[in-house]
Amino acid sequence: MNQYAPQMRRMRQRGGLTLEAAAQRAGLSPAHLSRLETGKRQPSLPLLLTLARVYGTTVGELLGESPAVPNPVVRGEEMEPVDAGGWRYRQAGLAGRAMQALRIHVPRGPQGDLVRVHPGEEWLYVESGALRLTLGEAEEILHPGDSAHFDSLTPHRLESASPGGTDLLFVHTLLQSPASDLCIHAAPRGGRHP
């Protein structure tokens, strides 16, 4: 049996797919997929790409390759700040994960009609200063040690309520944008931010 064959079966099973369901999604017969999983057939590159897409993985993982595990430690002094819209962002976690962690400095000053609305969840923790958090129609002032965890489809605004600005730890999910694109545009009048 080829080394990749058992891995192909594991990847299918990990996705909760039967042989028949996976074959249908990949445009194969169940017999063909079974032969691939038992090593009786060699997959072509286009077929590997199709199966990787169906299983939500990479061709490398499908073939049993072990990806290099990145160092999970992020050194603060190594993270360059990104300035956008007057805010300063620093990565506080690794890229390519389901969550993005940032350290943010929110300057004092008006944010105009800046409103954030996007898929996912947000969690923030105030390190220094005070933060005015608006969620829908509700408004709260958060102080050092306070945190908030909310669905980011709720229209929200973050404003510093301190003369020197506010420093936050910030974690969010499902936003596939670099820190410089982090919801820094005003919402269209009468509508949600894209």
Side-chain angles (χ1 to χ4, degrees):
M1 182 184 296
N2 292 317
Q3 182 179 354
Y4 62 82
Q7 177 68 2
M8 292 179 77
R9 181 180 298 113
R10 278 191 294 274
M11 297 306 295
R12 174 179 57 79
Q13 292 170 339
R14 181 179 82 175
L17 294 171
T18 64
L19 190 68
E20 292 76 17
Q24 182 179 12
R25 288 185 186 182
L28 302 172
S29 71
H32 187 125
L33 184 56
S34 177
R35 286 190 290 275
L36 289 169
E37 289 186 356
T38 57
K40 294 176 182 169
R41 272 200 105 138
Q42 297 279 335
S44 66
L45 181 57
L47 183 54
L48 286 171
L49 290 168
T50 298
L51 288 173
R53 181 185 45 79
V54 168
Y55 299 157
T57 188
T58 64
V59 170
E61 187 177 15
L62 195 59
L63 294 176
E65 295 175 2
S66 299
V69 178
N71 184 348
V73 176
V74 177
R75 303 282 178 204
E77 67 273 4
E78 295 173 3
M79 301 312 289
E80 292 294 321
V82 174
D83 292 323
W87 294 33
R88 175 162 281 185
Y89 300 90
R90 282 187 171 86
Q91 286 293 131
L94 300 174
R97 301 291 182 141
M99 299 184 304
Q100 183 179 35
L102 301 165
R103 294 181 312 168
I104 300 176
H105 177 76
V106 181
R108 175 68 182 216
Q111 302 295 312
D113 57 355
L114 178 73
V115 175
R116 295 169 170 84
V117 176
H118 51 86
E121 294 181 44
E122 292 186 16
W123 176 87
L124 58 86
Y125 174 86
V126 178
E127 291 186 296
S128 67
L131 181 75
R132 179 175 291 110
L133 172 65
T134 304
L135 290 172
E137 301 298 319
E139 185 178 291
E140 296 281 344
I141 301 293
L142 283 70
H143 297 280
D146 292 344
S147 63
H149 187 174
F150 53 92
D151 182 329
S152 49
L153 283 175
T154 303
H156 54 286
R157 295 170 51 105
L158 306 176
E159 298 175 75
S160 177
S162 296
T166 306
D167 291 311
L168 309 173
L169 291 178
F170 181 85
V171 177
H172 66 102
T173 60
L174 300 180
L175 183 61
Q176 303 299 317
S177 299
S180 60
D181 293 341
L182 186 63
C183 305
I184 58 173
H185 306 290
R189 295 198 189 282
R192 290 184 161 185
H193 184 287

Coordinates of all heavy atoms in Angstrom, one line a residue, residues 23-79:
A23 N -16.8 10.9 -3.0 CA -16.7 10.6 -4.4 C -17.6 11.6 -5.2 O -17.2 12.1 -6.3 CB -17.0 9.2 -4.7
Q24 N -18.8 11.7 -4.8 CA -19.8 12.6 -5.5 C -19.2 14.0 -5.6 O -19.3 14.7 -6.6 CB -21.1 12.6 -4.8 CG -22.1 13.4 -5.6 CD -23.5 13.3 -4.9 OE1 -23.7 12.9 -3.8 NE2 -24.5 13.9 -5.6
R25 N -18.7 14.6 -4.4 CA -18.2 15.9 -4.4 C -17.0 16.1 -5.3 O -16.8 17.2 -5.8 CB -17.9 16.3 -3.0 CG -19.1 16.6 -2.1 CD -18.6 17.1 -0.8 NE -19.8 17.1 0.1 CZ -19.7 17.6 1.4 NH1 -18.6 18.0 1.9 NH2 -20.8 17.6 2.1
A26 N -16.2 15.0 -5.4 CA -15.0 15.1 -6.3 C -15.2 14.8 -7.7 O -14.3 14.8 -8.5 CB -13.9 14.2 -5.7
G27 N -16.5 14.3 -8.0 CA -16.8 13.9 -9.4 C -16.2 12.6 -9.8 O -15.8 12.3 -10.9
L28 N -16.1 11.7 -8.8 CA -15.5 10.3 -9.0 C -16.5 9.3 -8.7 O -17.5 9.5 -8.1 CB -14.3 10.1 -8.1 CG -13.1 11.1 -8.1 CD1 -12.2 10.8 -6.9 CD2 -12.4 10.9 -9.4
S29 N -16.2 8.1 -9.1 CA -17.1 6.9 -8.7 C -16.5 6.5 -7.3 O -15.4 6.7 -7.0 CB -17.0 5.8 -9.7 OG -15.7 5.2 -9.6
P30 N -17.4 6.0 -6.5 CA -16.9 5.5 -5.2 C -15.9 4.4 -5.3 O -14.9 4.3 -4.5 CB -18.2 4.9 -4.5 CG -19.3 5.7 -5.1 CD -18.9 5.9 -6.5
A31 N -16.0 3.6 -6.4 CA -15.0 2.5 -6.6 C -13.6 3.1 -6.9 O -12.6 2.7 -6.4 CB -15.4 1.6 -7.8
H32 N -13.6 4.2 -7.7 CA -12.3 4.9 -8.0 C -11.7 5.5 -6.7 O -10.5 5.3 -6.5 CB -12.5 6.0 -9.0 CG -11.3 6.6 -9.5 ND1 -11.0 6.7 -10.9 CD2 -10.2 7.2 -8.9 CE1 -9.8 7.3 -11.0 NE2 -9.4 7.6 -9.9
L33 N -12.5 6.1 -5.9 CA -12.0 6.7 -4.7 C -11.5 5.6 -3.7 O -10.4 5.7 -3.1 CB -13.0 7.6 -4.0 CG -12.6 8.3 -2.7 CD1 -11.3 9.2 -3.0 CD2 -13.7 9.1 -2.2
S34 N -12.2 4.5 -3.7 CA -11.8 3.4 -2.8 C -10.4 2.8 -3.3 O -9.6 2.5 -2.5 CB -12.8 2.3 -2.9 OG -12.4 1.1 -2.2
R35 N -10.2 2.7 -4.6 CA -8.9 2.3 -5.1 C -7.8 3.2 -4.7 O -6.7 2.8 -4.4 CB -9.0 2.0 -6.6 CG -9.8 0.8 -6.9 CD -9.6 0.4 -8.4 NE -10.3 1.3 -9.3 CZ -11.6 1.2 -9.7 NH1 -12.4 0.2 -9.2 NH2 -12.1 2.1 -10.5
L36 N -8.1 4.5 -4.7 CA -7.1 5.5 -4.3 C -6.7 5.4 -2.8 O -5.6 5.4 -2.5 CB -7.6 7.0 -4.6 CG -7.7 7.4 -6.0 CD1 -8.5 8.7 -6.1 CD2 -6.3 7.6 -6.6
E37 N -7.8 5.1 -2.0 CA -7.6 5.0 -0.6 C -6.9 3.7 -0.2 O -6.4 3.6 0.9 CB -8.9 5.2 0.2 CG -9.4 6.6 0.1 CD -10.7 6.7 1.0 OE1 -11.2 5.7 1.5 OE2 -11.2 7.9 1.1
T38 N -6.9 2.7 -1.0 CA -6.3 1.4 -0.7 C -4.9 1.3 -1.5 O -4.2 0.3 -1.3 CB -7.1 0.2 -1.1 OG1 -7.5 0.4 -2.5 CG2 -8.4 0.2 -0.3
G39 N -4.5 2.4 -2.2 CA -3.3 2.4 -2.9 C -3.2 1.6 -4.2 O -2.1 1.4 -4.7
K40 N -4.4 1.2 -4.7 CA -4.4 0.4 -5.9 C -4.4 1.3 -7.1 O -4.3 0.8 -8.3 CB -5.7 -0.5 -5.9 CG -5.6 -1.5 -4.8 CD -6.9 -2.4 -4.8 CE -6.8 -3.4 -3.7 NZ -8.0 -4.0 -3.4
R41 N -4.5 2.6 -6.9 CA -4.5 3.6 -8.0 C -3.6 4.8 -7.6 O -3.6 5.2 -6.4 CB -5.9 4.1 -8.4 CG -6.5 3.2 -9.4 CD -7.6 4.0 -10.1 NE -7.2 4.4 -11.4 CZ -8.0 4.3 -12.4 NH1 -9.2 3.9 -12.2 NH2 -7.7 4.7 -13.6
Q42 N -3.0 5.4 -8.6 CA -2.2 6.6 -8.3 C -3.0 7.8 -8.6 O -3.6 7.9 -9.7 CB -0.9 6.6 -9.2 CG 0.0 5.4 -8.9 CD 0.9 5.7 -7.8 OE1 1.2 6.8 -7.4 NE2 1.4 4.7 -7.1
P43 N -3.1 8.8 -7.8 CA -3.8 10.0 -8.1 C -3.0 10.9 -9.0 O -1.8 11.1 -8.9 CB -4.1 10.6 -6.7 CG -2.9 10.2 -5.9 CD -2.6 8.8 -6.4
S44 N -3.7 11.6 -9.9 CA -3.1 12.7 -10.7 C -3.1 14.0 -9.9 O -3.8 14.1 -8.9 CB -3.9 12.9 -12.0 OG -5.2 13.4 -11.6
L45 N -2.3 14.9 -10.3 CA -2.2 16.2 -9.6 C -3.6 16.9 -9.6 O -4.0 17.4 -8.6 CB -1.1 17.1 -10.2 CG -1.0 18.5 -9.5 CD1 -0.7 18.3 -8.0 CD2 0.1 19.3 -10.2
P46 N -4.3 17.0 -10.8 CA -5.6 17.6 -10.7 C -6.6 16.9 -9.7 O -7.4 17.6 -9.0 CB -6.1 17.5 -12.1 CG -4.9 17.4 -13.0 CD -3.9 16.7 -12.1
L47 N -6.5 15.6 -9.6 CA -7.3 14.9 -8.7 C -6.9 15.2 -7.3 O -7.8 15.4 -6.4 CB -7.3 13.4 -9.0 CG -8.2 12.5 -8.1 CD1 -9.6 12.9 -8.2 CD2 -8.0 11.0 -8.5
L48 N -5.6 15.3 -7.0 CA -5.2 15.6 -5.6 C -5.7 17.0 -5.3 O -6.1 17.2 -4.1 CB -3.7 15.6 -5.6 CG -3.0 14.2 -5.5 CD1 -1.5 14.3 -5.7 CD2 -3.4 13.5 -4.2
L49 N -5.6 17.9 -6.2 CA -6.1 19.3 -5.9 C -7.6 19.3 -5.6 O -8.1 20.0 -4.7 CB -5.8 20.2 -7.1 CG -4.3 20.5 -7.3 CD1 -4.1 21.2 -8.7 CD2 -3.8 21.4 -6.2
T50 N -8.4 18.5 -6.4 CA -9.8 18.4 -6.2 C -10.1 17.8 -4.8 O -10.9 18.3 -4.1 CB -10.5 17.5 -7.3 OG1 -10.3 18.2 -8.5 CG2 -11.9 17.4 -7.0
L51 N -9.4 16.7 -4.5 CA -9.7 16.1 -3.2 C -9.3 17.0 -2.0 O -9.9 17.0 -1.0 CB -8.9 14.7 -3.1 CG -9.5 13.6 -3.9 CD1 -8.6 12.4 -3.9 CD2 -10.9 13.2 -3.5
A52 N -8.1 17.7 -2.2 CA -7.7 18.6 -1.1 C -8.8 19.7 -0.9 O -9.1 20.1 0.3 CB -6.4 19.3 -1.5
R53 N -9.4 20.2 -2.0 CA -10.5 21.2 -1.9 C -11.7 20.6 -1.2 O -12.2 21.2 -0.3 CB -10.8 21.7 -3.2 CG -11.9 22.8 -3.2 CD -12.4 23.2 -4.6 NE -12.6 22.1 -5.5 CZ -13.7 21.4 -5.6 NH1 -14.7 21.5 -4.7 NH2 -13.8 20.4 -6.4
V54 N -12.1 19.4 -1.6 CA -13.2 18.7 -1.0 C -13.0 18.5 0.5 O -13.9 18.6 1.3 CB -13.5 17.4 -1.7 CG1 -14.5 16.5 -0.9 CG2 -14.0 17.6 -3.1
Y55 N -11.8 18.1 0.9 CA -11.5 17.8 2.3 C -11.1 19.0 3.1 O -10.8 18.9 4.3 CB -10.4 16.7 2.4 CG -10.8 15.4 1.8 CD1 -9.8 14.5 1.4 CD2 -12.1 15.0 1.6 CE1 -10.1 13.3 0.8 CE2 -12.5 13.8 1.0 CZ -11.5 13.0 0.6 OH -11.8 11.8 0.0
G56 N -10.9 20.2 2.5 CA -10.6 21.4 3.2 C -9.1 21.3 3.7 O -8.9 21.7 4.9
T57 N -8.2 20.8 2.9 CA -6.8 20.7 3.3 C -5.9 21.0 2.2 O -6.3 21.6 1.2 CB -6.6 19.3 3.8 OG1 -5.3 19.2 4.4 CG2 -6.7 18.2 2.7
T58 N -4.6 20.7 2.4 CA -3.6 21.0 1.3 C -3.2 19.6 0.7 O -3.4 18.6 1.3 CB -2.4 21.6 1.9 OG1 -1.8 20.7 2.8 CG2 -2.7 22.9 2.6
V59 N -2.7 19.7 -0.5 CA -2.2 18.5 -1.2 C -1.1 17.9 -0.3 O -1.0 16.6 -0.2 CB -1.6 18.8 -2.6 CG1 -0.9 17.6 -3.2 CG2 -2.8 19.2 -3.5
G60 N -0.2 18.7 0.3 CA 0.8 18.1 1.1 C 0.3 17.3 2.3 O 0.8 16.2 2.6
E61 N -0.7 17.9 3.0 CA -1.3 17.1 4.1 C -2.0 15.9 3.6 O -2.0 14.8 4.2 CB -2.3 18.0 4.9 CG -2.8 17.3 6.1 CD -3.7 18.2 7.0 OE1 -4.2 19.3 6.5 OE2 -3.9 17.8 8.1
L62 N -2.7 16.0 2.4 CA -3.4 14.8 1.8 C -2.4 13.7 1.6 O -2.7 12.5 1.7 CB -4.1 15.3 0.6 CG -5.1 14.4 -0.1 CD1 -6.2 14.1 0.9 CD2 -5.7 15.0 -1.3
L63 N -1.2 14.0 1.2 CA -0.1 13.0 0.9 C 0.6 12.6 2.1 O 1.6 11.8 2.0 CB 0.8 13.6 -0.2 CG 0.2 13.8 -1.6 CD1 1.3 14.4 -2.5 CD2 -0.3 12.5 -2.1
G64 N 0.3 13.2 3.3 CA 0.9 12.7 4.5 C 2.1 13.5 4.9 O 2.9 13.1 5.8
E65 N 2.4 14.6 4.2 CA 3.6 15.4 4.6 C 3.3 16.2 5.8 O 2.2 16.7 6.0 CB 3.9 16.4 3.5 CG 4.3 15.8 2.2 CD 4.6 16.8 1.1 OE1 4.4 18.0 1.3 OE2 4.9 16.3 -0.1
S66 N 4.2 16.3 6.7 CA 4.0 17.0 8.0 C 4.5 18.5 7.8 O 5.7 18.7 7.5 CB 4.9 16.4 9.1 OG 4.4 15.1 9.3
P67 N 3.6 19.4 7.9 CA 4.0 20.8 7.8 C 4.9 21.3 8.9 O 4.8 20.7 10.0 CB 2.7 21.6 7.8 CG 1.7 20.7 8.5 CD 2.2 19.3 8.3
A68 N 5.8 22.2 8.6 CA 6.7 22.7 9.7 C 5.8 23.5 10.6 O 4.9 24.3 10.2 CB 7.7 23.6 9.1
V69 N 6.0 23.2 11.9 CA 5.2 23.9 12.9 C 5.9 25.2 13.3 O 7.1 25.2 13.7 CB 5.1 23.0 14.2 CG1 4.3 23.7 15.3 CG2 4.4 21.7 13.9
P70 N 5.2 26.4 13.1 CA 5.9 27.6 13.4 C 6.0 27.8 14.9 O 5.3 27.2 15.7 CB 4.9 28.7 12.8 CG 3.6 28.0 12.8 CD 3.8 26.5 12.6
N71 N 7.0 28.6 15.3 CA 7.3 28.9 16.7 C 6.0 29.7 17.2 O 5.7 30.7 16.6 CB 8.5 29.7 16.8 CG 8.9 29.9 18.3 OD1 8.1 29.7 19.2 ND2 10.1 30.4 18.5
P72 N 5.4 29.2 18.2 CA 4.2 29.9 18.7 C 4.5 31.2 19.4 O 3.6 31.9 19.8 CB 3.5 28.9 19.6 CG 4.6 28.1 20.1 CD 5.6 28.0 19.0
V73 N 5.7 31.5 19.7 CA 6.1 32.6 20.5 C 6.3 33.8 19.6 O 6.9 33.8 18.6 CB 7.4 32.4 21.3 CG1 7.8 33.6 22.1 CG2 7.2 31.2 22.3
V74 N 5.6 34.9 20.0 CA 5.7 36.2 19.3 C 6.4 37.2 20.2 O 5.9 37.5 21.3 CB 4.3 36.7 18.9 CG1 4.5 38.1 18.2 CG2 3.6 35.7 18.0
R75 N 7.6 37.6 19.8 CA 8.4 38.6 20.6 C 7.9 40.0 20.2 O 8.0 40.4 19.1 CB 9.9 38.4 20.3 CG 10.4 37.1 20.5 CD 10.6 36.8 22.0 NE 11.1 35.4 22.2 CZ 11.0 34.8 23.3 NH1 10.4 35.4 24.3 NH2 11.4 33.6 23.4
G76 N 7.5 40.7 21.3 CA 7.0 42.1 21.1 C 7.9 43.0 20.4 O 7.5 43.8 19.5
E77 N 9.2 42.9 20.7 CA 10.2 43.8 20.1 C 10.4 43.5 18.6 O 10.9 44.4 17.8 CB 11.5 43.9 20.8 CG 12.3 42.6 20.7 CD 11.9 41.5 21.8 OE1 11.0 41.8 22.6 OE2 12.6 40.5 21.8
E78 N 10.0 42.3 18.1 CA 10.2 42.0 16.7 C 9.0 42.4 15.8 O 9.1 42.3 14.6 CB 10.4 40.5 16.6 CG 11.7 40.0 17.3 CD 11.9 38.5 17.3 OE1 11.0 37.8 16.7 OE2 12.8 38.0 17.9
M79 N 7.9 42.8 16.4 CA 6.7 43.1 15.6 C 6.7 44.6 15.3 O 6.6 45.4 16.2 CB 5.4 42.7 16.4 CG 5.4 41.2 16.8 SD 5.7 40.1 15.5 CE 4.3 40.3 14.5

